[in-house]
Amino acid sequence: YVGEQEPGVMKIGGPFLADAGQMIGSLIVIDVPDLAAAEAWTKNDPYNKQGVFQSVGIKPFKLTIGQFA
């Protein structure tokens, strides 16, 4: 799914880990023009479609330190 997206949409992604190293969640940062585009991206994510995620939240993010490649 990520490879099918317009280049540059998905900026970073990866799991949150518990102290013992097991995955307890994940974070994906996407660069889209508006909330509707973020909702569409999330709705079409294969993991979300298969019910892998217990919940999905969308929050605005402003990069202030560092840069995306």
Side-chain angles (χ1 to χ4, degrees):
Y1 176 72
V2 171
E4 298 169 1
Q5 300 301 304
E6 191 174 320
V9 169
M10 186 171 171
K11 296 301 186 181
I12 60 171
F16 292 119
L17 303 175
D19 291 340
Q22 74 271 25
M23 185 175 165
I24 56 171
S26 60
L27 171 73
I28 298 173
V29 176
I30 58 174
D31 185 9
V32 293
D34 53 33
L35 179 58
E39 289 171 340
W41 195 95
T42 301
K43 180 181 176 186
N44 291 308
D45 180 280
Y47 287 120
N48 195 30
K49 284 182 167 182
Q50 294 298 317
V52 172
F53 303 129
Q54 185 176 33
S55 64
V56 173
I58 299 173
K59 302 284 185 194
F61 174 79
K62 180 179 179 182
L63 182 65
T64 56
I65 298 174
Q67 62 186 359
F68 291 122

